[in-house]
Amino acid sequence: MIGTGRLERYVLLRTFTGVGAALAVISAVILLVQFVDLSRSVGVRADVGVAQLFGLTLLKAPALILLLLPFVFLAGGISAYVGLNRSSELVAMRAAGISAWRFILPSGAAAFLVGVLAVTAFNPLASMLSARFEADRAGLMENYLTDAPKEVWLRQGDDRNQIVIHARSRDTVAGRVRLKGVSLFVYQKNKDGLPEFKRRLEAAQAELLPGFWKLTDVREATAGESSVRSDSLSIRSTLDSESAMERFASPDAIAFWRLPAAIHQTEQAGFSADGYRLRFQQLLATPLLFAAMSVLAAAFSLRLARLGGLAGLAGAGVAIGFIFFFFNEFSGALADAEIIPLYAAAWAPPLVALLSGLTLLCYTEDG
C-alpha cells in the first residue's frame, strides 16, 4: 500500500509537471499575441512606450489564461501520460498489477480542486485586472475615441420604485462613476405591481456616491406640475460604483463572488439576469470540466507504445479537447439566444466530456 501511495504521488507529480509546462507555453503565446495586438491597436494611436504596452498585456492575459485552463490540463495530461508510456513506466505499473484507475482518479480529483481554486481565487483576480485593463486602455485612447458613442443607459430599483437613467457620456474618476447630460425617469409601482411614471429629472452631471446619486444643476418635472430648478439634489441609489460599472461590462468580466449580487440587482431593476445566471453556472461547472479534461488526457494516452498509433491517439485527444472547448462556447451562445436552458448549456459540456473519458477508459482498461 505504501508503494502504491508513492506511485500515485509520482504520477500526480509528473501530471502537474506536464500541466505546468503546457501552462507556460500557452501563457507565453497569449502574452505574445496580446502584446502584438495592443501594439497595433493602442501603440500606433497613442504615445505609449513598450513598458506601458507590456503592463496592459499583463493585465489582460490572466482572463485569457483562465479561459484556456481546461485545454492546459488536457494538453499537459496527455504530455505526461505519453511520456510515462514511452519510457515503459506504464508497462511496469500494469505488470505489477496496478490498475490505471489508482493514479488516474487522484489526478482527476487534483484537477477538480485546482478548478475550485481557479473559480474562487483566480477568477476574481482576473476580473479585477481586466477592469483595470479597460480603464487604463480607455485613458490612453481617450483622445482617439471622441467619435465613439458614449451614451449610457442604467436602471436601478427596489420593490416600490424604478429609475431609468440616461446619460450622454460617462467617466470614472478615482473609482467614482460620473455621468454628464443626465435624464432620470422615476416610476413607482401601483397596487397591481405595474410601474407608473411619477417624475423626470434633468441634470448637467450626476456622480454616484455611497448610497445616492449627487445631481448638479437639476430641473425636476412632475406630471401635471411646472418644473422646478435646483443647484443640487440627492437621489437614493441601490447601486455602488462597482455594480454600476458592471452594467457596462459583459457577464464574463464580473467576478465569481459578485455574480449573485449582480443577478439580484439586475432582476430588482426589472432586467433579465439570464446572462449572469449562465456565467455563474458555467463557473460552478468549471471544476468538473477540469477533472473531465484530466480524465480525457489519460484516456487518449494509455495505449501501449509497442502497439503503435500512440501519437495519432494523443493528437486525437487534443482535437477532441478543441471540440469540447467550442462545444462549451456554442452551448453558451445557444443559451444566450434562449434556444436551450442555461443549466443544460453550463453543465452539458463538462458532463459529456467526463462521461466520454470514463467510457474510453473503461474500454481501454477493462475491455
Side-chain angles (χ1 to χ4, degrees), residues 219-259:
R219 186 179 65 181
E220 180 179 357
T222 305
E225 298 182 10
S226 58
S227 61
V228 178
R229 289 186 174 272
S230 57
D231 293 333
S232 63
L233 185 67
S234 297
I235 297 292
R236 180 177 174 271
S237 175
T238 57
L239 301 173
D240 54 31
S241 296
E242 189 170 358
S243 61
M245 291 303 298
E246 287 171 353
R247 302 297 175 89
F248 310 128
S250 67
D252 293 346
I254 302 178
F256 171 75
W257 297 110
R258 288 196 59 84
L259 277 171

Side-chain angles (χ1 to χ4, degrees), residues 295-310:
V295 172
L296 272 177
F300 281 94
S301 309
L302 290 184
R303 180 183 176 88
L304 296 179
R306 61 182 175 82
L307 297 179
L310 180 61

Side-chain angles (χ1 to χ4, degrees), residues 135-212:
D136 290 354
R137 183 179 180 276
L140 291 173
M141 301 293 290
E142 183 177 4
N143 296 328
Y144 297 88
L145 298 176
T146 53
D147 295 332
K150 296 182 179 180
E151 286 194 355
V152 175
W153 286 94
L154 286 173
R155 190 168 176 173
Q156 67 175 47
D158 51 30
D159 295 335
R160 293 186 58 190
N161 300 301
Q162 298 285 332
I163 301 178
V164 178
I165 303 171
H166 172 255
R168 290 196 301 269
S169 63
R170 69 176 175 92
D171 55 42
T172 305
V173 179
R176 292 180 176 177
V177 176
R178 183 177 297 165
L179 307 177
K180 296 181 180 179
V182 187
S183 299
L184 291 89
F185 305 88
V186 182
Y187 296 83
Q188 190 173 41
K189 292 183 179 180
N190 58 22
K191 296 179 180 180
D192 298 326
L194 300 176
E196 292 182 350
F197 177 76
K198 288 298 181 182
R199 57 178 175 154
R200 175 175 176 172
L201 298 97
E202 300 282 346
Q205 178 177 292
E207 184 175 3
L208 182 58
L209 300 175
F212 66 96

